[in-house]
Structures are given as structure tokens and as C-alpha cells.
Amino acid sequence: MPCLNEADTLERCVAEVRACIEAHQLDAEIIVADNGSSDGSRELAERLGARVVAVPERGYGSALMGGFDAARGRFLVMGDADLSYDFREAYRLIERLRNGADLVMGSRFRGRIEPGAMPWLHRYLGNPVLSWLERRLFRAPTSDFHCGLRALTADAYRAMELRTSGMEFASEIVVKAAVRRMRIDEVPVTLRPDGRSRAPHLRRWRDGWRHLRFLLTLSPRWTLLVPGVVLAGLGALLMGLVLFGPRTVRAVTLDVHTLVIGSLLVLVGYGAATTALAMRIYALVEELGAPAPRLERSFSVFTLERGLLAGAALTVVGVALIGVQAWSWWLTGFGPLDVSQTMRPTVLGATLAAVGIQTVLVSFVYSMLGIPRRRGVPRR
């Protein structure tokens, strides 16, 4: 149980855990991962016979990882210490672990949510939307990604190599299990109104954004890479249509304005695609997401030096196109220009130069991100 000032409810939570242990004759220990309580929670847990593990690094994920690291059991059950979950229902999760599951999630939506237990916004918008997004991105077979009552094997925990310290830890567990092809089961559980007299630690918008940010970082393919490639392709098509002169399509004449819009789409799309690759490399190096063997193999082909050469070549071509127009302008004594003619090579040159410079910059970024950490250096 992660604990930060839970003196109001801790005793009843420990009593429910003991009831579950005794009812099913489990060989188990109760661990309270104290995250810096100042209300006597730690001393209370010790008096109740729980094993207290002090976790100085603040955060929901930090507290749980501290407790998991200290645990001696084969199965790990986690749950909040605010009475929102009935720990007597934990045996259903343990049964699934005994039957071969690696991770067992509680589901409040398939179980029972008591009146007043979950705010309307969380129940009908926040949790369903984030859970749907996570199912779509990572194909995890669970209806409730953020249920606080869940269980996993100690072997699965070690294999996951979890990293995040905040509330997004709840998503990381499921994502890591899904991308590593672990068996994920789900059982219905009951969510009750919490018994605390203080405000909850959860911050609706901050923690919701942290979950969403974490998911977007792990799956930039559909959020950045694919949209970026589509935008860049559409921009290149528009530029190609009007590169050598106006083009009329069903009474609509496209000219240099279309060329400028096409250039914008190319630059935005290329930026999105290269950002997506940087995010994927970061997630790969930090072991946050799924393995990417093809991306790893690409490092033997795409090196810093080759990226710099490609970027420099594009930049030189782009600057040369702009330079030719500047030379022609100089020959005319810097007089008026025929915009419909001079804008085309100038926009094309500016686009190529911008893409080239971007390629040079991201080559350095990719090279730095691809440097593995030294062995033995802690990741969290």
C-alpha cells in the first residue's frame, strides 16, 4: 500500500488485508510503502504489524516500486490506503495469478461503483477516454487502465523494468505488460467513496495530462509519425502541382499561394515525423515502451555522419536555388521581380534548405539519444 498521510483509513485497510489473508490461509506480508507521512501513518502501520518501507522519493510510482522492491512474495498485490478498494476482494486477483496470469487488473466499470465514489468527469470522460486510447495504442485487454487494485507476479515486475514515478505509473504497468506480450486478466472490483478527511493526492488535470503525455511519448507512430508523413506528402503534392506554373483544376486556379501552403505542410509534417522518431528512440533507450528491432537495426544505416551529409546536401541545393534568384535580381539592378516566376524556385529552395537544416539538427539529437546508458547507472 502506498501511503502518504493515510492515518484516517490505514487501520481499516490493514484489517481488510488481514481478513483476506486469514480467510484464504495465505502466506503473505503487508507492506506499507511510506512516502514521507507526517500524520503518524508510519508509526500506526508499525503498531498494526505491517512492514513499513520508507520511500524518500515522492510520487505514487516511487512508493509502489519501493514496496515492490522490498517485497519477498511471489505475488504482488497493490491497492490504495484510502479505503476506496475492498482488500477482501484481492483474492480474486491472486487466483488469476495462480492460473498463469502475469498481471491482473481490477475493473471498477465491470464491477460496482458506489454512489459518490468517482466524480462524474472521471467516470464518463477521463477514465473511459484514456482507457480507450490505451487499448487502441497498445492493444491491452483491459477496460479500466487506472484501477488502483491490481496484482502481478514478482517475475513480471522485474521483467517490466518500470520507470515512472508519478500517477502515470498506473499506465506504465499495463503498457509494459501489453508490449511484452504478458498475460493480462481482469476481474470486477468494487470502488467505494474514500474515507479520508483531507483532499485526495490526485490532481485531475495535472495527473490526466501526465498519463496522456506518457502515452503519446510511447506511441508517436499514430500521433505524430503517420500524420507527419501524410502532411508532408500532401505538401509535396501541392508543391509539385504548381512548381512549374499555375494549374487549373475544375475552374480553380492554383498558383504561388498554393506553393507556399504546400511548403508549410512539408515543413510541419517533416518536423512532426522527425519528432516522432526522437520520441521513439528515447522510449527505446529508456526501456519505456515496446522493443523496436527495426529501429535498432536502422542505426547501422542511419549514422550521424550520413545524416549530416544528407542534410548538408539538401541545404546546399536549397541555398543554390535561392542564390540563382538573387543573382538574377542583381543582374536587373535589384528592380521589380515577376513574383509568379521567381517565387517558385525561391520557395522550393527555402523548403529544401529548411528540411536540410532540420535533418542536420535531428541527426545530432538522434545520435545523442542513441547513446546507451552506462551499465550500473540507475535509471530512476
Side-chain angles (χ1 to χ4, degrees):
M1 282 182 283
C3 176
L4 176 59
N5 297 327
E6 306 288 4
D8 290 344
T9 54
L10 188 58
E11 183 172 0
R12 284 173 287 176
C13 287
V14 171
E16 289 184 350
V17 176
R18 289 201 183 282
C20 179
I21 293 172
E22 293 170 1
H24 302 285
Q25 299 181 336
L26 301 174
D27 180 12
E29 62 179 346
I30 303 173
I31 294 180
V32 173
D34 186 73
N35 212 198
S37 297
S38 58
D39 67 343
S41 295
R42 179 172 180 170
E43 294 76 15
L44 175 60
E46 290 174 340
R47 288 199 302 271
L48 295 171
R51 183 178 165 209
V52 177
V53 175
V55 184
E57 183 181 352
R58 286 294 182 94
Y60 178 73
S62 296
L64 283 167
M65 285 188 285
F68 287 163
D69 289 338
R72 296 177 290 228
R74 184 162 59 101
F75 298 147
L76 307 172
V77 180
M78 57 176 273
D80 300 335
D82 60 1
L83 271 183
S84 55
Y85 296 100
D86 188 342
F87 283 98
R88 291 168 295 187
E89 296 180 341
Y91 187 68
R92 301 177 191 171
L93 286 71
I94 295 172
E95 285 183 308
R96 295 295 185 93
L97 294 179
R98 286 176 171 173
N99 289 331
D102 298 297
L103 171 66
V104 185
M105 296 290 298
S107 174
R108 300 164 292 182
F109 299 111
R110 292 182 176 175
R112 185 165 65 97
I113 301 176
E114 294 184 358
M118 184 183 293
W120 182 92
L121 191 63
H122 293 188
R123 184 170 184 175
Y124 296 105
L125 182 61
N127 278 298
V129 169
L130 285 174
S131 293
W132 175 85
L133 181 62
E134 289 161 324
R135 285 195 301 273
R136 295 289 296 177
L137 293 178
F138 304 104
R139 300 180 182 178
T142 179
S143 62
D144 188 0
F145 261 67
H146 307 110
C147 181
L149 183 61
R150 56 183 76 179
L152 66 162
T153 67
D155 288 341
Y157 167 65
R158 287 189 287 269
M160 288 177 185
E161 297 186 321
L162 301 168
R163 295 284 182 269
T164 53
S165 61
M167 288 292 182
E168 65 272 27
F169 181 83
S171 292
E172 186 186 5
I173 288 180
V174 188
V175 169
K176 288 288 186 69
V179 300
R180 283 165 171 73
R181 302 293 189 268
M182 295 180 179
R183 176 180 158 185
I184 304 174
D185 284 2
E186 188 175 65
V187 298
V189 298
T190 302
L191 181 69
R192 308 177 295 198
D194 69 65
R196 296 172 295 198
S197 59
R198 58 163 178 78
H201 297 304
L202 181 70
R203 297 293 180 265
R204 177 184 303 167
W205 299 110
R206 182 200 65 182
D207 293 324
W209 164 243
R210 291 182 68 165
H211 279 285
L212 182 59
R213 181 185 65 186
F214 176 74
L215 298 176
L216 296 180
T217 300
L218 290 188
S219 186
R221 175 186 300 176
W222 301 110
T223 55
L224 286 175
L225 182 60
V226 172
V229 170
V230 170
L231 281 178
L234 178 60
L237 177 62
L238 291 176
M239 291 185 70
L241 285 174
V242 297
L243 186 59
F244 300 103
R247 185 178 294 270
T248 301
V249 180
R250 293 188 177 183
V252 176
T253 300
L254 307 177
D255 206 340
V256 290
H257 303 86
T258 302
L259 187 70
V260 173
I261 297 301
S263 173
L264 174 64
L265 294 179
V266 167
L267 296 178
V268 172
Y270 188 71
T274 53
T275 300
L277 290 175
M279 293 168 65
R280 190 66 185 90
I281 294 170
Y282 172 79
L284 180 65
V285 172
E286 291 293 318
E287 298 178 350
L288 289 172
R294 286 184 295 181
L295 183 60
E296 291 180 348
R297 288 194 298 269
S298 70
F299 277 108
S300 63
V301 178
F302 182 86
T303 62
L304 171 61
E305 293 75 16
R306 289 174 178 170
L308 294 179
L309 287 174
L314 288 171
T315 304
V316 168
V317 173
V319 171
L321 288 172
I322 297 173
V324 168
Q325 301 310 305
W327 176 261
S328 299
W329 187 33
W330 178 75
L331 292 178
T332 63
F334 300 107
L337 296 173
D338 184 354
V339 175
S340 66
Q341 297 300 318
T342 58
M343 276 289 288
R344 299 181 200 283
T346 301
V347 171
L348 177 61
T351 304
L352 291 175
V355 170
I357 293 170
Q358 174 79 352
T359 301
V360 169
L361 296 177
V362 298
S363 295
F364 280 111
V365 173
Y366 294 166
S367 180
M368 291 300 298
L369 289 176
I371 298 175
R373 290 176 180 266
R374 301 192 308 274
R375 292 183 182 274
V377 176
R379 294 179 180 272
R380 66 172 186 266

